[in-house]
Amino acid sequence: MQVGVRREQCAGERRVAATPETVQQLTALGLQLVVEGGAGTAAGYSDEAFAAAGATVVPELPYERLDVLLHVRPLTPETAARLRTGSITVGFGSPASELPAVRALADAGVTSFALELVPRISRAQSMDALSSQSLVSGYRAVLEAALRYPRFFPLYMTAAGTIPPARVLVLGAGVAGLQAIGTAKRLGARVSANDIRTASADEVASMGGTFIRLDLDAPEGTGGYARELGEDRAKRQRALLAPHVAAADVLITTAAIPGRAAPLLVTLDMVAGMRAGSVVVDLAAESGGNVEGVKAGQDLQIAVAGGFVTLVGLRDAASAMPSDASRLFAKNVANLLALMTADGEVSPDFDDDVVAGACLTHAGTVRHAATASAMEALK
């Protein structure tokens, strides 16, 4: 079977859905890999490296003849329409925000797998691209903050005086938040964190952070994600967080719920209470932001007493570190594809919970219930 690896077309996207390592993995399963020229260049993987690993490098993918298409960003309706009936796609699908593309995949009779839908169970951890890319994003968020913060992160004791460590506050203790905590701690900052899931306290402590407990009763949602608070509780959460935000030199927000707008955790009034020179990095900016007024891909300066606070809306955080992000993402893709491959044939077994859970469209229908319901509501 012919498996194509596309060159991503979205501006700013530097990742690739396969690496020479995963080409070797999939070739060993009896699959034929076809890589579009330049697909991995921005991530540091040359056409020559793909060819040496056993792939065929072509100027343009023959979409109409592919059995499987591997991709990073969600496909456009135009690309979906080029795929033959019965072909398979594996990559991010963003079904909540890409309904026209989902409809196009279904209409084309394509069996599509969206990595956001991979069940968060133990046997699917090696296929969990949300987690692998969140790890990269959490690390990157701290680096972006450190570059903009006008002072040191670590404590320095010198003959000229003592420089206190930066105080970093992380909101959200999922994979991205925990990585941000660990990275800020390694840079020498004094780190605290909050998550509405009190069960996260031990994880925060294991990364070197101090868990901030708020007087909120917020049970955990499904799939390991936090459940979104009602408006009254959300207002109380913001009120309880306000003094901690004001005391922070760097604030990093990471709270996101797949397929939903990001919860508002920090208002502009809370930002205005921070000291001049402070930095706020919002990892959820692309889904609306945890911080009021954030703009994805932009730095904003919020006036405060004595100067301003820098508000950073990160866009393409994982793509900003394309080599390792691609290494992890490609392995997630290859592991899911390997689960569906036997004797050189990709044949999804929908009795498998992982395969069934990750499937977005199949045989002309939208299999993901929430997406199907959203599409019906638009009719």
Side-chain angles (χ1 to χ4, degrees):
M1 296 184 76
Q2 197 170 64
V3 179
V5 181
R6 79 187 306 244
R7 182 175 64 246
E8 296 297 317
Q9 302 299 313
C10 182
E13 182 54 71
R14 301 165 63 196
R15 292 171 292 180
V16 63
T19 63
E21 178 186 0
T22 62
V23 164
Q24 291 179 330
Q25 176 185 349
L26 295 175
T27 299
L29 295 175
L31 302 175
Q32 299 176 351
L33 273 291
V34 180
V35 178
E36 190 168 17
T41 301
Y45 302 107
S46 66
D47 291 347
E48 291 76 14
F50 279 113
T56 299
V57 179
V58 296
E60 184 177 349
L61 281 183
Y63 286 95
E64 296 80 2
R65 299 198 303 274
L66 294 177
D67 298 299
V68 181
L69 174 64
L70 308 184
H71 59 95
V72 179
R73 293 279 183 160
L75 301 176
T76 63
E78 293 76 18
T79 299
R82 295 180 61 185
L83 298 170
R84 67 172 184 79
T85 300
S87 61
I88 295 169
T89 67
V90 182
F92 281 137
S94 299
S97 60
E98 301 291 340
L99 294 180
V102 176
R103 170 50 59 201
L105 287 165
D107 289 346
V110 172
T111 299
S112 62
F113 292 91
L115 293 175
E116 300 95 328
L117 304 182
V118 170
R120 303 200 107 186
I121 57 178
S122 295
R123 61 183 289 259
Q125 286 181 348
S126 67
M127 310 163 209
D128 186 354
L130 282 180
S131 290
S132 74
Q133 301 307 287
S134 291
L135 182 146
V136 181
S137 298
Y139 175 81
R140 185 71 186 193
V142 176
L143 299 186
E144 296 288 347
L147 286 172
R148 292 166 173 83
Y149 184 57
R151 294 184 283 276
F152 291 124
F153 264 40
L155 165 71
Y156 282 115
M157 301 179 69
T158 76
T162 298
I163 298 174
R167 287 168 288 191
V168 174
L169 172 61
V170 178
L171 300 183
V175 174
L178 292 173
Q179 181 64 18
I181 292 166
T183 302
K185 190 68 178 179
R186 287 191 292 273
L187 287 177
R190 182 179 298 162
V191 187
S192 58
N194 171 258
D195 192 295
I196 61 174
R197 300 165 300 172
T198 56
S200 299
D202 289 342
E203 294 176 319
V204 169
S206 72
M207 300 302 292
T210 299
F211 190 77
I212 297 172
R213 295 184 181 275
L214 304 179
D215 184 18
L216 285 171
D217 179 19
E220 185 174 298
T222 59
Y225 294 103
R227 183 184 302 171
E228 190 171 7
L229 296 176
E231 184 54 32
D232 288 343
R233 282 183 174 178
K235 287 180 179 178
R236 177 165 174 75
Q237 180 190 34
R238 291 192 288 268
L240 293 172
L241 283 173
H244 300 285
V245 171
D249 299 307
V250 172
L251 171 64
I252 297 173
T253 66
T254 70
I257 303 172
R260 302 279 297 277
L264 178 64
L265 303 181
V266 180
T267 64
L268 284 177
D269 284 342
M270 294 165 70
V271 173
M274 300 178 77
R275 286 180 295 276
S278 299
V279 178
V280 178
V281 177
D282 191 338
L283 265 178
E286 290 185 89
S287 57
N290 298 141
V291 183
E292 184 182 10
V294 70
K295 302 293 184 184
Q298 296 183 26
D299 283 19
L300 303 176
Q301 293 185 340
I302 309 301
V304 299
F308 58 85
V309 172
T310 302
L311 175 55
V312 183
L314 280 193
R315 182 194 293 274
D316 302 323
S319 186
M321 307 197 74
S323 182
D324 285 337
S326 295
R327 183 192 303 270
L328 297 172
F329 183 86
K331 198 67 176 175
N332 297 143
V333 169
N335 288 339
L336 179 57
L337 194 58
L339 179 66
M340 300 185 287
T341 303
D343 300 324
E345 296 288 325
V346 181
S347 180
D349 176 9
F350 293 106
D351 290 329
D352 186 300
D353 290 344
V354 175
V355 174
C359 186
L360 180 57
T361 64
H362 175 64
T365 64
V366 179
R367 287 181 57 102
H368 183 238
T371 303
S373 297
M375 295 180 74
E376 283 295 321
L378 292 177
K379 288 184 178 180

